[in-house]
Amino acid sequence: MTATSEATEIRPFSFEFSDADLHNLKQRIEATRWPEKETVSDQSQGTQLSTVQALAHYWASEYDWRKVEAKLKALPNFITEIDGLDIHFIHVRSQHENALPLIVTHGWPGSIVEQLKIIEPLTNPTAHGGSASEAFDVVVPSIPGYGFSGKPTEKGWGPERIARAWTELMKRLGYTRFVAQGGDWGALITETMALQKPPELLGIHVNMPAEVPPAVEVAILTGNPVPEADYSEEEQRAIEQLQFFYQHVYYALEMATRPQSLTGLADSPVGLAAFMLDHDAKSLGLISRVFNGVEEGLTRDDVLDNVTLFWLTNTAVSAARLYGENTSQFFSAKGITIPVAVSVFPDELHQAPRSWTEQAYPNLIHYNQLPKGGHFAAWEQPELLVDELRTGFRSLR
């Protein structure tokens, strides 16, 4: 075997966190030094003390990491070196013939944990209300610096390089045609794949589309007046939602510009959790209700499965660096011409208007506004997202 073939080899991947690792985590949670309560009655100052204390109590006294560890280990995990970096991924082939290969990319503060609920329904549709003709082969990679993938030791691993790596991964798995899906960073990486136009990529699906007229997003980002136009009610609502989001996105600015200053996230599990929960107002509200005993969307275990993976792999800082590698606007239309399917969830950072979506994607093959769900669609509303993927990609089979 040559050195080149060794580097490109796809190797089975296994992992094991010791009882000592979990005991150390519990000790750190129990030793948390708490700040005083916020001076407001809402979440305007961030993750509320009562939420974090409820999370910490459950984490230290009832939560069982071994449950999700068993779920992860039951799936086929692999690792392969691409462009000098180890890339971890889950790869589940459907037993149905002519399954459509699909690569699904998570976001921040997410991980492969986000996609665990959709893998089985996508690969085994006949057991989950679908037909054999709707089957997918599913590939779920860990973004560089996240989870079990390698941590870049130099700059340069931005969405463009990741997108090229994803195409190489799918080709290395033997796929000559495939589709791609993502939300959050996953959406940007997926759209970047579409812009690169590898011939194997048939189309994409995103649940956080980049459809905003560029001049509108630039104005919002810079605090300038939005260009005058006869905006529809939907478009005006999207503008207001984006204005609100960009007024509360300072966590991203810190990660983009000063990731190494977040060393405390590698030292305090509760500090890590408090930071990760505060991604956006709707998600924080949902998670806060969950830790207050309300059953909806996510569970307490869902939330802690993800945070614990970040903790055990020590990837808080390495994951944060992705923000500094990005040179694209998240929401501006980018000129994608290949087939695109879009799902709009009501509690997303903004609800993409049909008008802007049709302008942004001239080859729009599916657009749907869902009745419930937010930013982490695969995690919060897996059944709805699975149905959207079946419907959205139907014409590309």
Side-chain angles (χ1 to χ4, degrees):
M1 181 179 292
T2 65
T4 301
S5 62
E6 288 177 353
T8 60
E9 180 186 5
I10 294 173
R11 312 182 301 276
F13 175 81
S14 61
F15 65 93
E16 184 69 47
F17 295 109
S18 68
D19 289 341
D21 293 328
L22 299 179
H23 180 66
N24 176 262
L25 169 59
K26 181 179 180 180
Q27 284 184 314
R28 286 172 177 265
I29 295 169
E30 292 176 338
T32 300
R33 185 171 70 166
W34 297 102
E36 66 283 352
K37 183 180 182 295
E38 60 276 2
T39 58
V40 294
S41 60
D42 56 23
Q43 296 173 339
S44 59
Q45 293 183 351
T47 311
Q48 292 174 293
L49 181 62
S50 61
T51 298
V52 186
Q53 289 183 326
L55 178 151
H57 174 75
Y58 181 76
W59 203 358
S61 62
E62 297 182 55
Y63 173 73
D64 184 1
W65 160 258
R66 298 300 186 194
K67 290 182 180 179
V68 71
E69 184 178 77
K71 292 178 183 178
L72 288 168
K73 287 183 174 182
L75 295 167
N77 285 262
F78 302 92
I79 202 159
T80 189
E81 183 182 316
I82 300 178
D83 199 6
L85 191 71
D86 275 345
I87 301 297
H88 162 264
F89 61 98
I90 293 168
H91 183 203
V92 182
R93 294 185 185 270
S94 175
Q95 295 183 357
H96 296 292
E97 294 183 6
N98 302 315
L100 181 62
L102 166 67
I103 184 167
V104 186
T105 309
H106 64 82
W108 185 94
S111 65
I112 53 173
V113 168
E114 276 187 64
Q115 280 80 35
L116 291 183
K117 298 175 187 176
I118 66 172
I119 294 173
E120 167 68 14
L122 290 173
T123 56
N124 188 15
T126 55
H128 298 272
S131 65
S133 62
E134 296 173 316
F136 293 88
D137 284 356
V138 176
V139 178
V140 182
S142 297
I143 294 174
Y146 289 67
F148 300 117
S149 278
K151 301 175 182 179
T153 57
E154 59 184 9
K155 289 179 65 63
W157 274 98
E160 293 82 5
R161 191 170 178 180
I162 297 170
R164 290 192 295 270
W166 278 195
T167 297
E168 170 60 26
L169 173 61
M170 295 301 279
K171 292 165 64 177
R172 195 172 291 183
L173 291 172
Y175 294 124
T176 57
R177 54 194 297 276
F178 63 89
V179 292
Q181 194 281 331
D184 194 87
W185 279 119
L188 184 55
I189 292 166
T190 297
E191 293 207 348
T192 302
M193 292 175 70
L195 288 171
Q196 293 171 351
K197 293 183 179 179
E200 298 84 4
L201 182 60
L202 303 178
I204 66 170
H205 173 279
V206 290
N207 54 279
M208 193 187 81
E211 88 306 339
V212 178
V216 171
E217 184 172 19
V218 169
I220 294 172
L221 267 171
T222 56
N224 291 316
V226 174
E228 292 187 11
D230 186 18
Y231 297 114
S232 68
E233 184 177 332
E234 267 194 330
E235 292 166 349
Q236 186 59 48
R237 178 182 61 186
I239 290 171
E240 293 170 356
Q241 289 171 329
L242 286 172
Q243 287 172 328
F244 177 84
F245 174 69
Y246 275 123
Q247 290 169 0
H248 299 84
V249 73
Y250 297 109
Y251 68 88
L253 296 178
E254 178 73 11
M255 289 193 286
T257 59
R258 313 290 287 180
Q260 207 63 28
S261 295
L262 296 171
T263 298
L265 303 184
D267 186 61
S268 168
V270 171
L272 174 65
F275 187 78
M276 290 176 64
L277 264 56
D278 195 15
H279 176 273
D280 66 275
K282 292 294 181 67
S283 296
L284 176 57
L286 183 153
I287 292 170
S288 299
R289 292 191 298 274
V290 166
F291 278 98
N292 198 33
V294 178
E295 293 185 9
E296 59 172 302
L298 303 176
T299 67
R300 293 181 297 179
D301 280 7
D302 286 334
V303 175
L304 287 174
D305 289 345
N306 185 52
V307 178
T308 305
L309 180 61
F310 266 77
W311 174 261
L312 292 173
T313 55
N314 193 16
T315 47
V317 173
S318 58
R321 294 193 184 104
L322 180 56
Y323 282 83
E325 297 288 353
N326 179 46
T327 58
S328 299
Q329 301 300 342
F330 274 99
F331 305 109
S332 292
K334 296 173 174 59
I336 293 172
T337 57
I338 72 169
V340 178
V342 171
S343 299
V344 179
F345 289 83
D347 288 336
E348 183 53 272
L349 305 182
H350 81 288
Q351 288 184 275
R354 179 183 287 272
S355 56
W356 286 354
T357 305
E358 290 175 344
Q359 293 169 16
Y361 307 113
N363 202 347
L364 185 67
I365 56 174
H366 174 76
Y367 173 92
N368 189 30
Q369 294 188 7
L370 284 301
K372 59 181 177 179
H375 187 67
F376 302 100
W379 213 16
E380 299 172 31
Q381 301 296 333
E383 293 181 0
L384 290 179
L385 185 63
V386 165
D387 189 59
E388 285 293 289
L389 294 177
R390 291 172 180 170
T391 303
F393 286 131
R394 190 164 291 147
S395 64
L396 301 183
R397 290 183 178 273

